[in-house]
Amino acid sequence: MFEYKLFAKSVLGVALGGLISLSQAHAEQVPGRFMPVIGQASAPVGHIEFCQNYPQQCRYGTNTPLVVRLTKERWQELLDVNASINTQVRPLTDEQLFGVPEYWTYPQGAGDCEEYVLEKQRQLIALGWPPSSLLITVVKDLSNGGHAVLSVRTDQGDLILDNQISSILPWYSTPYRYVKRQSARHASAWSAISDKRVTTVASIPE
């Protein structure tokens, strides 16, 4: 499980107050700090079209994906980028913006979940984060609808940057069911996630 107390004391101190502690009962359901990836998955149609429109963003590949050491400085970068994009981008659907159900692109002042994720990914890469540590991830949300978040691979586990939840949380502390994510080995490929946890949705108040 995510060793919150040890992590906070040794690396980030009180800055990680936003990371929630898990009850013992909940902790027993947690498979680990890193979400279990089980093989290849089909890429979302929106991402395929994004790669056609921005081919340079989808050419990255590596045989040695990196996990970032989460120093206090790196943590602050995550906080700053997450808060900045969540504040600057107005939430509008693809239907409202483009007249189609699904379209992935960088935001021009507005966008839906994918635009938030793509911009956060782009800004963190510009700050020196390796692309293999910043993975677009598809989940099922509280309404069982599709939603996108950014998974950040760190030595403290997979952390989630989200436009619906302001805090940066370990993946297993979010109220989502994880389906698939961008491959850490190639930007245009995707991997399936085996999320067999007992759902936390029922415990989330309306």
Side-chain angles (χ1 to χ4, degrees):
M1 65 175 289
F2 191 89
E3 296 175 1
Y4 170 74
K5 292 182 179 179
L6 177 59
F7 175 47
K9 288 180 180 179
S10 62
V11 181
L12 304 179
V14 296
L16 278 182
L19 293 175
I20 63 175
S21 298
L22 300 177
S23 67
Q24 183 63 36
H26 186 193
E28 292 172 356
Q29 300 171 10
V30 176
R33 292 182 179 182
F34 300 92
M35 58 186 75
V37 176
I38 57 172
Q40 295 181 345
S42 59
V45 172
H47 191 246
I48 293 173
E49 294 176 347
F50 173 81
C51 288
Q52 292 171 348
N53 293 330
Y54 298 91
Q56 69 278 11
Q57 306 300 330
C58 298
R59 290 176 182 150
Y60 175 83
T62 180
N63 291 323
T64 55
L66 298 178
V67 172
V68 173
R69 180 173 176 267
L70 196 59
T71 62
K72 184 176 181 180
E73 291 72 24
R74 286 299 201 188
W75 172 249
Q76 190 61 52
E77 289 175 347
L78 292 182
L79 291 175
D80 291 344
V81 168
N82 193 55
S84 174
I85 302 306
N86 284 354
T87 301
Q88 294 174 10
V89 178
R90 292 184 299 118
L92 289 176
T93 67
D94 289 333
E95 285 282 5
Q96 292 171 309
L97 286 169
F98 309 112
V100 295
E102 192 76 3
Y103 186 75
W104 293 29
T105 189
Y106 291 112
Q108 299 295 320
D112 67 0
C113 55
E114 292 89 7
E115 279 70 59
Y116 286 87
V117 169
L118 288 167
E119 186 61 27
K120 291 173 186 179
Q121 185 185 57
R122 178 165 69 171
Q123 291 198 16
L124 288 168
I125 289 174
L127 289 172
W129 288 70
S132 62
S133 70
L134 305 167
L135 307 178
I136 308 166
T137 305
V138 172
V139 303
K140 291 291 186 178
D141 64 14
L142 297 176
S143 302
N144 203 37
H147 180 51
V149 297
L150 183 65
S151 295
V152 181
R153 302 175 69 242
T154 78
D155 61 345
Q156 299 299 322
D158 291 328
L159 305 181
I160 301 301
L161 275 61
D162 187 13
N163 66 299
Q164 294 186 358
I165 300 173
S166 59
S167 299
I168 297 174
L169 300 173
W171 74 277
Y172 54 77
S173 292
T174 63
Y176 302 136
R177 179 70 61 193
Y178 287 75
V179 179
K180 57 186 175 181
R181 75 181 185 188
Q182 202 174 15
S183 170
R185 294 184 177 275
H186 200 285
S188 65
W190 282 69
S191 302
I193 300 167
S194 178
D195 187 357
K196 297 181 179 180
R197 298 167 302 140
V198 175
T199 180
T200 59
V201 171
S203 64
I204 304 296
E206 294 289 338

